[in-house]
Amino acid sequence: MKKKLFAAFLTVAMAGSMLASTSVFAEGEKVALITMDSIDQHWIGVRDGAEKAADELKCEVNFMAPNTKDDAQQIECVNNAVAGGYQAIVIAANGPDAITSSLKEAQDAGIKIVYVDSPANLDAEATFSTDNQAAGTQAGEVLLKTLQDKGITSGSIGIINTNAASDSTVKREAGFRAAFDGTDFEILETQYGEGDAAKSQTIAENYITQGVVGIFGTNEGSTVGTGNAIKASGKDSIVGVGFDKSDAILDLVKDGYLVATMAQNPDVMGYEGVKAAVEVINGADLGGAVTDTGVSVLTAESLAE
């Protein structure tokens, strides 16, 4: 009887082993996650999603982002991933041109490239990001409607971007500007705060001094800076709209200093990015597909619900 039970157990174990060996994912893949910086809550969200995928797929994911948005530091991270023997790099490119050469060298070395949030100017296996131009237009429409509801049909509007190169925020700005085509509003020359909340607040304060009726922040730091400047000014007539959903941004929305923020899904970017990386390491062809990971408009009313 014991022999029969042992034989049955052995058969089940062997069957389980065979099923494991035919799984889509083999254990032990080594993936580097390189975002623009390691501080913004947006990138922490990307990391959290990536780590969730790593747990499920039993692969190794290392978060190798620089401390600040800096092309040279991000290039160094890519070079470290190549030297470290990583099989795939999941990256949000700070500057689409600056990082391209390093990513091409990684590709030539056999490393798979997957983009999250912001691509570089190099074909990759797949991209997981917000449809940034459409989301920027949506942000512009929210700001425009809010002004119109206040009876304001003209005036100047400021934009605080991170830099003139990052693909994601450049597209958000373009979409935002498009929302005001054919109106009597004047969109002022864009100012760049490098994603830094303090620098962005100074820019927003200067805009407020110029008499703007609205300000758009294109990322977490610029949005926090915008909200803080409006709060400090005491002028509740200025309409602020931004991007991302850090705790600081959500508080500014709840307290009425920002009318709305465009909330992305960074965890989805990280999760799907790592999943795709493991797939291509194991021979899948994703054809460079671009997947929209979605966006939601968060207002004080929606947050209260």
Side-chain angles (χ1 to χ4, degrees):
M1 182 66 177
K2 288 183 178 179
K3 287 183 178 180
K4 287 182 179 179
L5 285 173
F6 178 76
F9 173 80
L10 186 61
T11 300
V12 171
M14 289 176 66
S17 176
M18 289 175 67
L19 284 171
S21 67
T22 57
S23 171
V24 175
F25 305 111
E27 292 189 13
E29 296 87 355
K30 193 174 180 182
V31 179
L33 174 63
I34 303 173
T35 54
M36 292 187 192
D37 66 47
S38 57
I39 298 171
D40 282 2
Q41 278 188 246
H42 178 76
W43 304 124
I44 301 304
V46 173
R47 183 202 67 188
D48 291 346
E51 290 179 348
K52 179 182 177 183
D55 288 342
E56 291 181 8
L57 303 176
K58 309 303 181 187
C59 65
E60 177 183 347
V61 173
N62 286 319
F63 189 41
M64 301 172 66
N67 291 327
T68 188
K69 293 178 179 65
D70 180 85
D71 288 333
Q73 288 187 37
Q74 195 174 51
I75 289 168
E76 184 178 354
C77 291
V78 172
N79 294 339
N80 288 341
V82 174
Y86 288 83
Q87 297 158 285
I89 295 174
V90 177
I91 184 168
N94 187 55
D97 293 314
I99 199 74
T100 297
S101 179
S102 293
L103 289 178
K104 182 66 170 62
E105 289 178 7
Q107 263 186 351
D108 291 344
I111 298 172
K112 307 296 185 181
I113 307 298
V114 174
Y115 295 128
V116 288
D117 189 89
S118 298
N121 290 328
L122 178 73
D123 290 341
E125 305 293 336
T127 300
F128 299 90
S129 65
T130 301
D131 183 339
N132 286 293
Q133 186 137 348
T137 297
Q138 199 170 0
E141 290 169 347
V142 170
L143 197 152
L144 177 59
K145 185 179 185 304
T146 304
L147 289 171
Q148 291 173 335
D149 288 348
K150 289 173 174 282
I152 301 170
T153 57
S154 64
S156 57
I157 296 170
I159 297 176
I160 306 175
N161 207 329
T162 54
N163 56 54
S166 293
D167 181 83
S168 57
T169 55
V170 168
K171 286 180 177 175
R172 289 171 199 167
E173 178 186 332
F176 180 84
R177 287 180 176 275
F180 291 86
D181 288 346
T183 72
D184 291 328
F185 291 97
E186 176 193 5
I187 309 298
L188 300 177
E189 182 178 350
T190 301
Q191 300 296 314
Y192 300 100
E194 300 171 9
D196 182 85
K199 291 179 182 178
S200 297
Q201 181 171 344
T202 299
I203 293 169
E205 288 169 348
N206 290 335
Y207 274 142
I208 292 169
T209 300
Q210 294 175 51
V212 297
V213 295
I215 304 173
F216 173 50
T218 65
N219 83 323
E220 183 177 325
S222 57
T223 300
V224 172
T226 295
N228 284 339
I230 292 173
K231 179 179 181 179
S233 74
K235 297 180 178 180
D236 58 8
S237 60
I238 301 169
V239 179
V241 172
F243 251 85
D244 294 327
K245 55 180 178 182
S246 68
D247 293 340
I249 290 174
L250 296 181
D251 285 342
L252 288 164
V253 172
K254 290 173 185 175
D255 293 339
Y257 300 112
L258 293 170
V259 168
T261 188
M262 311 305 291
Q264 302 182 86
N265 294 301
D267 55 328
V268 176
M269 296 179 193
Y271 180 88
E272 295 296 339
V274 168
K275 183 179 174 183
V278 173
E279 287 179 336
V280 295
I281 288 171
N282 286 287
D285 181 2
L286 301 182
V290 177
T291 301
D292 179 9
T293 50
V295 70
S296 301
V297 180
L298 299 184
T299 63
E301 291 76 14
S302 68
L303 290 172
E305 294 172 0

